[in-house]
Amino acid sequence: DPHWRNPFDGFSRKPKRPSNPIRRYTDEQIKLVFSSSLYKPKTADKFWVPLLLFYTGARLTEISQIHVGDVLIDPLPHVKLENLEDEDPVSAKKLKNESSHRTVPLHRDLIDLGFLEYVAKVRELGKLHVFPNLPHQKPDGVGDLVSRDFISRFREYGANKPESGLDSKSLVTHSLRHTFRNAGHFLKDETYLKIVMGHYVPGVSIQIYGKEAYVMPDLLAHKVMNHIELPSLEIEFLRSQAEYWLKAPC
């Protein structure tokens, strides 16, 4: 029949699933990753960046590129994530999309570990970036060195102890974001979790009347950070490491 038409014409093919889809860490794995046995970073940025990713659910580049002026304490401690166009690529900041412009309240553990004191020290030294030693001239790869270092530590452990599952190529730095997202499933309202993570939230209530929620850290703390239950880490060990890096922030 010359008039016959394949009913599936015009439909795109179903995308292939990646061979190693990114997975979250289990509670046991995340405790191991940040344990005194495995978490031995050699620089302040390699210490703080993965912890910030775990406790905020943010993307690697978002955290790696923040300026000291993006860490604010009013109305409560939070990080401001924003695009910044600048002729100097070192000063510029790049986000994934419009919904990525947001404020992220700091989890109480980050405050307890001394992140605000670290930022204050870097500010005293006159630095622009919270992590000044990262390659800020490469906005798309500013956190790559941190990521590779982070992954290499637990992959080596996983290779020697495969029962841990830490040798899996599905576990990467971005798995920290997946871990935060999984913890958020237990919140009463995941709308604000999506805002904290920089996701687009459809619907009139947010997109027309409530876009300011993206820049209301007190609201987001009340809805998300004060209630999200992340796996517990070795806080005393991490605090001792934070105190060390406070003496050598750069």
Side-chain angles (χ1 to χ4, degrees):
D1 183 348
H3 300 292
W4 182 87
R5 178 179 176 274
N6 188 332
F8 295 101
D9 281 351
F11 286 86
S12 59
R13 292 183 178 180
K14 186 177 181 180
K16 293 182 179 179
R17 295 189 65 181
S19 55
N20 297 296
I22 296 175
R23 293 191 289 105
R24 69 174 180 89
Y25 299 96
T26 65
D27 288 6
E28 293 74 20
Q29 287 172 336
I30 202 68
K31 290 175 182 179
L32 261 176
V33 164
F34 285 112
S35 71
S36 54
S37 301
L38 295 185
Y39 202 56
K40 301 176 181 179
K42 301 296 184 183
T43 60
D45 43 56
K46 291 174 182 175
F47 171 77
W48 279 115
V49 170
L51 282 170
L52 283 161
L53 298 178
F54 171 67
Y55 280 116
T56 64
R59 302 174 179 94
L60 176 62
T61 297
E62 291 174 339
I63 292 299
S64 300
Q65 68 187 358
I66 55 175
H67 295 180
V68 293
D70 296 329
V71 182
L72 304 168
I73 59 173
D74 186 32
L76 48 73
H78 66 278
V79 176
K80 177 178 64 176
L81 300 178
E82 63 177 0
N83 243 26
L84 178 63
E85 300 289 342
D86 199 293
E87 293 181 359
D88 181 358
V90 172
S91 300
K93 292 180 289 184
K94 183 180 180 181
L95 297 181
K96 184 176 181 179
N97 50 47
E98 184 180 354
S99 300
S100 300
H101 294 252
R102 65 198 190 279
T103 55
V104 181
L106 290 179
H107 190 280
R108 55 190 173 274
D109 283 358
L110 287 173
I111 297 170
D112 186 39
L113 289 174
F115 179 63
L116 294 176
E117 287 79 4
Y118 165 78
V119 174
K121 187 69 173 180
V122 175
R123 183 182 287 111
E124 284 178 14
L125 296 172
K127 303 296 184 181
L128 172 65
H129 294 94
V130 172
F131 306 110
N133 291 337
L134 295 182
H136 293 284
Q137 70 278 10
K138 300 192 304 179
D140 291 328
V142 63
D144 286 355
L145 292 175
V146 171
S147 180
R148 285 198 292 270
D149 178 79
F150 177 69
I151 293 171
S152 67
R153 296 183 185 283
F154 67 75
R155 284 266 177 88
E156 183 178 353
Y157 178 91
N160 293 323
K161 295 192 175 182
E163 67 274 12
S164 69
L166 289 175
D167 58 339
S168 170
K169 292 184 179 179
S170 290
L171 292 177
V172 293
T173 305
H174 199 68
S175 296
L176 294 169
R177 183 168 163 86
H178 285 239
T179 304
F180 186 91
R181 181 69 181 86
N182 182 74
H185 285 316
F186 298 95
L187 295 172
K188 291 181 179 179
D189 185 353
E190 293 188 37
T191 296
Y192 296 94
L193 175 75
K194 294 175 183 177
I195 292 175
V196 166
M197 298 189 70
H199 289 308
Y200 175 79
V201 179
V204 172
S205 60
I206 292 295
Q207 292 305 316
I208 295 181
Y209 301 112
K211 277 192 173 182
E212 63 270 19
Y214 281 84
V215 290
M216 295 177 67
D218 46 351
L219 172 67
L220 298 175
H222 174 69
K223 293 288 189 179
V224 179
M225 286 301 184
N226 294 349
H227 302 286
I228 194 167
E229 295 186 9
L230 294 165
S232 299
L233 305 183
E234 289 184 36
I235 295 298
E236 289 303 319
F237 158 69
L238 293 171
R239 187 182 292 117
S240 69
Q241 292 297 296
E243 290 172 356
Y244 174 82
W245 291 116
L246 185 61
K247 300 172 185 176
C250 303

